[in-house]
Every structure is written in C-alpha cells, then in structure tokens.
Amino acid sequence: MEVEGKIKKIEETKEYGSNGFRKREVIITTEEQYPQPIAIEFVQDKTDLLNNYSVGQNVKVSINLRGREWTNPQGEVKYFNSIQGWRIENLQAAQGDNAVPPVPPAEAFAPADNLNEEDHDDLPF
C-alpha cells in the first residue's frame, strides 16, 4: 500500500529496550478533499531513510499495516494497529524524471524565410 502527501513533521529516532530497538515517525498530510495527518513509523535500519527528507516535501511512502493483540493484567484483550513504512520517495523528483519539458510558444520561433519550394524533399510524407 502507499500513502501520498506532504511531510508535516519528522520525529527524532528513539531507542527502546536493552536490545536497541529503534523507531522514528513521520507525519504525512494527505492532499485530498479532507486532508488527513497520517503517522507512519519506520523501524530499525529503515529509520535512516528519513534522513534525506524535510518538512514540506511531497512524498510517496510504501507502507504495511501491522496489528497486535495484547492481554492486560486484568485479562482484557486489546488490539493495536500501526502503519509501518519501508520505502519513501520524493514525488517532485519522480514526476520530474518523466515530465515532458514545456514547449515554447509559437512566437518564440522565427519564421522560415529561405524556403524554396523547388528543393528536393526526401521525406516520405
């Protein structure tokens, strides 16, 4: 799955536990009729993917939905969901690679004044 939008915030990397579990969150605001701020977490070595990005950039994030079941000390079962990112792309760069360069207006071209109708034309059309 993918989420597209503008980076609203990039959190610092946080470490948890004695085994060095790392997590970093980015908040993406979707650009639709009703924009949504979506928190996406990157874990372990994927936290470094956010180093090259900054607030305000338009990005596409590849995500996985994760779910967990937890039983509290009172025996109640709780469910938790998380959105985990595994790839992030800058949309401006991606669109720029495939974009067609703008065509200058017709006025930018000088008219051909040395045209000779009798010259041989080898074009097939």
Side-chain angles (χ1 to χ4, degrees):
M1 288 187 258
E2 296 174 338
V3 174
E4 289 186 14
K6 187 174 286 201
I7 296 176
K8 181 176 184 171
K9 185 177 186 179
I10 300 175
E11 299 284 339
E12 294 297 318
T13 302
K14 296 176 182 157
E15 251 183 70
Y16 299 94
S18 58
N19 62 355
F21 178 79
R22 297 186 313 151
K23 180 171 125 175
R24 189 174 187 187
E25 281 191 341
V26 61
I27 310 302
I28 306 293
T29 302
T30 61
E31 295 178 344
E32 51 196 356
Q33 183 177 0
Y34 301 105
Q36 301 293 310
I38 307 291
I40 301 171
E41 61 183 34
F42 286 77
V43 298
Q44 299 299 76
D45 61 331
K46 301 294 184 192
T47 60
D48 296 334
L49 294 176
L50 298 175
N51 292 344
N52 299 323
Y53 293 90
S54 57
V55 172
Q57 283 184 288
N58 287 317
V59 294
K60 176 168 59 172
V61 182
S62 298
I63 61 167
N64 290 325
L65 294 177
R66 298 284 185 217
R68 291 187 313 278
E69 182 179 288
W70 175 70
T71 304
N72 69 14
Q74 292 78 31
E76 297 174 290
V77 177
K78 304 275 183 174
Y79 297 93
F80 298 93
N81 298 319
S82 61
I83 303 171
Q84 207 168 78
W86 54 274
R87 182 173 61 193
I88 184 168
E89 299 174 59
N90 186 349
L91 279 182
Q92 284 97 351
Q95 291 170 350
D97 291 344
N98 298 327
V100 175
V103 176
E107 299 85 43
F109 297 98
D113 55 358
N114 60 351
L115 184 64
N116 185 349
E117 295 290 332
E118 293 176 10
D119 283 344
H120 175 66
D121 185 358
D122 61 349
L123 295 176
F125 49 89

